[in-house]
mmCIF file of all heavy atoms in Angstrom:
data_model
loop_
_atom_site.group_PDB
_atom_site.id
_atom_site.type_symbol
_atom_site.label_atom_id
_atom_site.label_comp_id
_atom_site.label_asym_id
_atom_site.label_seq_id
_atom_site.Cartn_x
_atom_site.Cartn_y
_atom_site.Cartn_z
ATOM 1 N N ILE A 529 74.529 107.958 112.341
ATOM 2 C CA ILE A 529 75.744 108.011 113.149
ATOM 3 C C ILE A 529 75.274 108.073 114.605
ATOM 4 O O ILE A 529 74.416 108.892 114.945
ATOM 5 C CB ILE A 529 76.571 109.274 112.833
ATOM 6 C CG1 ILE A 529 76.977 109.279 111.356
ATOM 7 C CG2 ILE A 529 77.811 109.357 113.753
ATOM 8 C CD1 ILE A 529 77.700 110.537 110.913
ATOM 9 N N VAL A 530 75.786 107.185 115.457
ATOM 10 C CA VAL A 530 75.353 107.204 116.837
ATOM 11 C C VAL A 530 76.414 107.721 117.807
ATOM 12 O O VAL A 530 76.093 108.271 118.850
ATOM 13 C CB VAL A 530 74.861 105.809 117.308
ATOM 14 C CG1 VAL A 530 73.430 105.542 116.779
ATOM 15 C CG2 VAL A 530 75.802 104.684 116.882
ATOM 16 N N PHE A 531 77.680 107.510 117.481
ATOM 17 C CA PHE A 531 78.739 107.991 118.362
ATOM 18 C C PHE A 531 79.858 108.609 117.519
ATOM 19 O O PHE A 531 80.043 108.271 116.360
ATOM 20 C CB PHE A 531 79.354 106.839 119.159
ATOM 21 C CG PHE A 531 78.430 106.213 120.142
ATOM 22 C CD1 PHE A 531 77.950 104.928 119.914
ATOM 23 C CD2 PHE A 531 78.064 106.882 121.309
ATOM 24 C CE1 PHE A 531 77.109 104.316 120.847
ATOM 25 C CE2 PHE A 531 77.213 106.276 122.236
ATOM 26 C CZ PHE A 531 76.728 105.000 122.007
ATOM 27 N N VAL A 532 80.640 109.492 118.193
ATOM 28 C CA VAL A 532 81.872 109.983 117.558
ATOM 29 C C VAL A 532 83.011 109.847 118.542
ATOM 30 O O VAL A 532 82.846 110.047 119.750
ATOM 31 C CB VAL A 532 81.748 111.470 117.105
ATOM 32 C CG1 VAL A 532 80.699 111.611 116.027
ATOM 33 C CG2 VAL A 532 81.456 112.403 118.256
ATOM 34 N N GLY A 533 84.166 109.455 118.017
ATOM 35 C CA GLY A 533 85.376 109.328 118.849
ATOM 36 C C GLY A 533 86.121 110.658 118.813
ATOM 37 O O GLY A 533 86.330 111.219 117.740
ATOM 38 N N VAL A 534 86.507 111.144 119.996
ATOM 39 C CA VAL A 534 87.218 112.433 120.070
ATOM 40 C C VAL A 534 88.501 112.312 120.850
ATOM 41 O O VAL A 534 88.956 113.248 121.505
ATOM 42 C CB VAL A 534 86.321 113.550 120.655
ATOM 43 C CG1 VAL A 534 85.185 113.871 119.688
ATOM 44 C CG2 VAL A 534 85.762 113.141 122.009
ATOM 45 N N GLY A 535 89.123 111.128 120.759
ATOM 46 C CA GLY A 535 90.385 110.925 121.466
ATOM 47 C C GLY A 535 90.602 109.436 121.669
ATOM 48 O O GLY A 535 89.762 108.599 121.316
ATOM 49 N N GLU A 536 91.768 109.096 122.219
ATOM 50 C CA GLU A 536 92.129 107.684 122.365
ATOM 51 C C GLU A 536 91.581 107.026 123.631
ATOM 52 O O GLU A 536 91.507 105.812 123.725
ATOM 53 C CB GLU A 536 93.654 107.552 122.323
ATOM 54 C CG GLU A 536 94.253 107.899 120.980
ATOM 55 C CD GLU A 536 95.703 107.525 120.862
ATOM 56 O OE1 GLU A 536 96.010 106.328 120.723
ATOM 57 O OE2 GLU A 536 96.549 108.449 120.918
ATOM 58 N N GLY A 537 91.233 107.834 124.628
ATOM 59 C CA GLY A 537 90.776 107.285 125.897
ATOM 60 C C GLY A 537 89.353 106.757 125.838
ATOM 61 O O GLY A 537 88.548 107.204 125.011
ATOM 62 N N LEU A 538 89.002 105.846 126.733
ATOM 63 C CA LEU A 538 87.678 105.245 126.762
ATOM 64 C C LEU A 538 86.556 106.276 126.907
ATOM 65 O O LEU A 538 85.451 106.083 126.422
ATOM 66 C CB LEU A 538 87.548 104.233 127.921
ATOM 67 C CG LEU A 538 88.148 102.849 127.742
ATOM 68 C CD1 LEU A 538 87.661 101.920 128.862
ATOM 69 C CD2 LEU A 538 87.781 102.268 126.398
ATOM 70 N N GLU A 539 86.872 107.363 127.613
ATOM 71 C CA GLU A 539 85.844 108.374 127.866
ATOM 72 C C GLU A 539 85.779 109.425 126.761
ATOM 73 O O GLU A 539 84.909 110.303 126.778
ATOM 74 C CB GLU A 539 86.109 109.085 129.187
ATOM 75 C CG GLU A 539 86.309 108.089 130.328
ATOM 76 C CD GLU A 539 85.816 108.611 131.650
ATOM 77 O OE1 GLU A 539 86.580 109.331 132.288
ATOM 78 O OE2 GLU A 539 84.659 108.335 132.017
ATOM 79 N N GLU A 540 86.718 109.368 125.809
ATOM 80 C CA GLU A 540 86.747 110.384 124.736
ATOM 81 C C GLU A 540 85.786 109.960 123.636
ATOM 82 O O GLU A 540 86.189 109.616 122.512
ATOM 83 C CB GLU A 540 88.177 110.615 124.284
ATOM 84 C CG GLU A 540 88.956 111.305 125.403
ATOM 85 C CD GLU A 540 90.430 111.471 125.122
ATOM 86 O OE1 GLU A 540 91.145 110.448 125.027
ATOM 87 O OE2 GLU A 540 90.858 112.626 124.999
ATOM 88 N N PHE A 541 84.508 110.025 123.976
ATOM 89 C CA PHE A 541 83.478 109.414 123.171
ATOM 90 C C PHE A 541 82.191 110.212 123.410
ATOM 91 O O PHE A 541 81.852 110.479 124.540
ATOM 92 C CB PHE A 541 83.284 107.978 123.657
ATOM 93 C CG PHE A 541 82.718 107.046 122.641
ATOM 94 C CD1 PHE A 541 83.253 106.986 121.346
ATOM 95 C CD2 PHE A 541 81.695 106.164 122.970
ATOM 96 C CE1 PHE A 541 82.749 106.090 120.419
ATOM 97 C CE2 PHE A 541 81.205 105.253 122.031
ATOM 98 C CZ PHE A 541 81.719 105.219 120.755
ATOM 99 N N GLU A 542 81.524 110.608 122.365
ATOM 100 C CA GLU A 542 80.296 111.411 122.549
ATOM 101 C C GLU A 542 79.144 110.814 121.737
ATOM 102 O O GLU A 542 79.371 110.241 120.679
ATOM 103 C CB GLU A 542 80.536 112.838 122.050
ATOM 104 C CG GLU A 542 81.557 113.606 122.842
ATOM 105 C CD GLU A 542 81.923 114.941 122.183
ATOM 106 O OE1 GLU A 542 81.354 115.302 121.133
ATOM 107 O OE2 GLU A 542 82.824 115.608 122.738
ATOM 108 N N GLU A 543 77.959 111.062 122.219
ATOM 109 C CA GLU A 543 76.795 110.695 121.405
ATOM 110 C C GLU A 543 76.753 111.698 120.263
ATOM 111 O O GLU A 543 77.087 112.871 120.428
ATOM 112 C CB GLU A 543 75.530 110.742 122.269
ATOM 113 C CG GLU A 543 75.527 109.617 123.277
ATOM 114 C CD GLU A 543 74.261 109.620 124.132
ATOM 115 O OE1 GLU A 543 74.281 110.316 125.170
ATOM 116 O OE2 GLU A 543 73.286 108.949 123.780
ATOM 117 N N PHE A 544 76.381 111.239 119.094
ATOM 118 C CA PHE A 544 76.417 112.074 117.921
ATOM 119 C C PHE A 544 75.436 113.239 117.966
ATOM 120 O O PHE A 544 74.273 113.055 118.325
ATOM 121 C CB PHE A 544 76.140 111.228 116.666
ATOM 122 C CG PHE A 544 76.169 111.993 115.384
ATOM 123 C CD1 PHE A 544 77.354 112.580 114.956
ATOM 124 C CD2 PHE A 544 75.031 112.153 114.623
ATOM 125 C CE1 PHE A 544 77.398 113.299 113.760
ATOM 126 C CE2 PHE A 544 75.065 112.870 113.424
ATOM 127 C CZ PHE A 544 76.256 113.429 113.004
ATOM 128 N N ASP A 545 75.915 114.416 117.611
ATOM 129 C CA ASP A 545 75.084 115.605 117.577
ATOM 130 C C ASP A 545 75.140 116.189 116.179
ATOM 131 O O ASP A 545 76.165 116.765 115.798
ATOM 132 C CB ASP A 545 75.613 116.609 118.632
ATOM 133 C CG ASP A 545 74.823 117.900 118.633
ATOM 134 O OD1 ASP A 545 74.046 118.150 117.688
ATOM 135 O OD2 ASP A 545 75.013 118.677 119.588
#
Side-chain angles (χ1 to χ4, degrees):
Chain A
I529 300 175
V530 282
F531 294 110
V532 296
V534 291
E536 294 191 73
L538 281 192
E539 308 213 276
E540 291 175 294
F541 205 48
E542 295 170 3
E543 290 180 273
F544 181 65
D545 178 347

